[in-house]
Amino acid sequence: MAELTICQIVFVGPGSREDAGFRHSYDVLVDTYEADEDLSDPSFYRMAGRMAHHMLYTAMREYDCYDGYLWAPFDTLLNIPRLQQFNQDYFWYHSPFGEYVYNPGLGDQAGNQNKTRHAPPANISPDPAINLTATWRGWGPDWWWGEPHVGVAVCMRAFEKVPAHMREHFASLTNGTRLMGGSADTMYIPGRHRQAFVEVLGLFLETDCFLEIATPTVLHLVSPPGEPILFVDHWWIWNPPFNASFVRQKWMEGMEVDTFHTFHWGDEGEDGVWRGEPRHIEDVRTLFAESAARQGVEWTSRSKDH
């Protein structure tokens, strides 16, 4: 079992969250790059999180001393006993080319390799040569591909500046020039690839390429040939339960949850102020103990009395 060592947790975001109801909190590393949101124009929604990869870029540039970087939003649940099983020498992502990390909870090797028992992988884009902007049909599933302001046509301007050997390797995986699109809510970057990752991510930040095209595409461009990308069973959910019950439900279905978004540690009250729900803390502690037992690993959880 690998040991997941967290040397420092860096919170990245705006200097103040008063406007969002977070009147009691603050962030360590301030980054508000294009964080404004305007949903009034249905032809171009300026979403607050569309450029959040600038935060990742800032954090990795400012903190260049770590063996690895685990990136996740504040409302993503990380199943720590599971992530301890992941080799920190490699990238982690729900890649369609990823390798599954063995989990006794899924049974024997055949059970672990069964794709139907894993979360859906990220998607490969349509052919960028297609005029996706002209055929874009508005907001819906996979809307980002053809969106004229942040989609594939915009992202290709950055892609074409990436070193040729990276593009050629990526094309060998995708059977042609393609981009990657998927959740950017869980990603691990080994420290030895930090410099290359930051440099390539910087090319995409010279455009308005959407977060969930830019980050997975960069990861696959930078990951060297012959090195595995470890598959994270990451789930992006729209319906309740937005708490530990979701993980237990997936266990009952014979699947695993390494991470999921969104986890509601609390909710906004009628007065517009977000408040945490203390019962979730103890429940997550219990969940971690259950997860460790499911995998047959030792686990020591601090109780609420310590």
Side-chain angles (χ1 to χ4, degrees), residues 262-283:
T262 59
F263 186 95
H264 286 199
W265 289 103
D267 284 292
E268 186 176 302
E270 294 181 358
D271 56 2
V273 176
W274 183 93
R275 292 182 176 86
E277 177 54 70
R279 64 183 175 86
H280 289 321
I281 297 174
E282 194 60 33
D283 193 31

Side-chain angles (χ1 to χ4, degrees), residues 8 51 61 101 109 126 130 178 191 210 219 221 264 305:
Q8 182 173 357
M51 300 298 289
R61 184 190 61 193
V101 177
Q109 192 63 29
I130 300 172
R178 293 289 193 274
F210 182 52
L219 183 147
L221 285 166
H264 286 199
D305 298 325

